[in-house]
Amino acid sequence: MKLLLASLLAGSAAAFTPSAFNGAAVTARTSSSSASMSMETSADLEVLAKKLNPILGFYDPLGLAEKEFWGTSNEATIGFLREAEVKHGRIAMFAFVGYIAHANGITFPWAMTMDGTPFPQGLSPPDAWDAIPDAGKYQIFGLIGFLEYWRECSSETHYMKGGKVGAFPAFDSSVIPGGALNLYDPFGLRKNDSDEKKEAGLVKEINNGRAAMLGIIGFASEGKMEGSVPALKGIIPHYSGDFMAPFSHSVLPHL
């Protein structure tokens, strides 16, 4: 679905499985007090890379792991890059599964709009996205924006300051009576896991996310340029729309 492709590029937040890879411990000072926080270094990335792919190992042709974005430290930059990869991987997993589900005619059992219009059938996933009214798309993107805001502003410690990469703060009892919504671990299946099990789960999640990113880009590429992905030739229908134009009418018509 086109929303999911757009979300992939936007890096929207959504939780899949808990993340708990903790790098070298360093001491950082907050505005109000001092606290010991865990921030990763390029050396930690090399260790993680071997766990992710023992054959390829650490591969950083652009040297991003040595950068200092926006005048921050190298450790903060690594935190940003790690969070971005986890987010993109999660959205790509949703996108990959969503594409396959819709391509096989699987939709929600209720109407698409309040006036009773059903979800479209017989269309390719990106064409089905184009069939959604813009009012519905604005609501979807509004929710995505809120989730991103909540991740950035409600975490106990930000991921660029030593916070846990990939963790999504729960909507606790201060927000929802009873604290009924925890997108990070909605069923509480991981709360008693050991650190070792959580670390192994994160390695699997990152690898699955990387594979999903390649997969959904492959779907999109074959849809626009037939034959560009030989393995998908004749399987993915042609898409004549524009992946980079999620709305029927531009919200910035004069630009």
Side-chain angles (χ1 to χ4, degrees), residues 198-224:
K198 289 179 179 178
E199 181 180 337
L202 177 59
V203 170
K204 295 175 184 177
E205 181 187 25
I206 294 174
N207 276 333
N208 289 337
R210 290 176 175 178
M213 284 188 273
L214 292 173
I216 194 62
I217 291 298
F219 287 165
S221 297
E222 180 61 27
K224 290 300 291 183

Side-chain angles (χ1 to χ4, degrees), residues 80-105:
F80 171 83
L81 294 171
R82 292 273 287 107
E83 176 77 9
E85 179 179 34
V86 171
K87 283 181 180 178
H88 282 75
R90 289 172 176 172
I91 295 302
M93 286 187 277
F94 279 117
F96 188 83
V97 174
Y99 192 105
I100 293 174
H102 192 87
N104 286 276

Side-chain angles (χ1 to χ4, degrees), residues 1-207:
M1 185 176 283
K2 192 171 177 182
L3 161 67
L4 298 169
L5 295 177
S7 300
L8 168 61
L9 296 175
S12 304
F16 226 58
T17 56
S19 305
F21 180 81
N22 295 323
V26 299
T27 300
R29 182 174 299 275
T30 64
S31 58
S32 58
S33 62
S34 296
S36 180
M37 296 184 292
S38 179
M39 298 182 73
E40 292 174 295
T41 66
S42 57
D44 291 310
L45 295 184
E46 293 184 23
V47 173
L48 178 60
K50 281 292 185 181
K51 295 179 181 179
L52 291 166
N53 190 327
I55 297 176
L56 180 62
F58 184 69
Y59 182 68
D60 182 23
L62 298 180
L64 295 179
E66 306 299 327
K67 302 296 184 182
E68 296 181 355
F69 292 171
W70 309 296
T72 61
S73 67
N74 176 245
E75 290 80 5
T77 299
I78 289 174
F80 171 83
L81 294 171
R82 292 273 287 107
E83 176 77 9
E85 179 179 34
V86 171
K87 283 181 180 178
H88 282 75
R90 289 172 176 172
I91 295 302
M93 286 187 277
F94 279 117
F96 188 83
V97 174
Y99 192 105
I100 293 174
H102 192 87
N104 286 276
I106 302 172
T107 64
F108 292 114
W110 51 79
M112 180 177 68
T113 63
M114 295 296 288
D115 64 6
T117 302
F119 285 96
Q121 294 287 340
L123 298 178
S124 69
D127 282 318
W129 167 260
D130 290 340
I132 298 175
D134 277 355
K137 297 175 184 178
Y138 292 140
Q139 294 176 55
I140 295 169
F141 276 100
L143 174 61
I144 291 172
F146 168 74
L147 293 175
E148 184 71 3
Y149 169 83
W150 184 260
R151 167 67 176 116
E152 292 294 316
C153 299
S154 299
S155 298
E156 207 170 293
T157 305
H158 195 268
Y159 50 82
M160 291 182 70
K161 297 181 179 179
K164 185 181 293 185
V165 169
F168 192 86
F171 296 94
D172 57 23
S173 57
S174 66
V175 181
I176 298 177
L181 188 59
N182 181 350
L183 297 180
Y184 182 53
D185 186 14
F187 303 109
L189 301 177
R190 304 293 183 181
K191 61 182 179 181
N192 296 321
D193 284 354
S194 66
D195 289 342
E196 291 76 14
K197 188 173 182 179
K198 289 179 179 178
E199 181 180 337
L202 177 59
V203 170
K204 295 175 184 177
E205 181 187 25
I206 294 174
N207 276 333

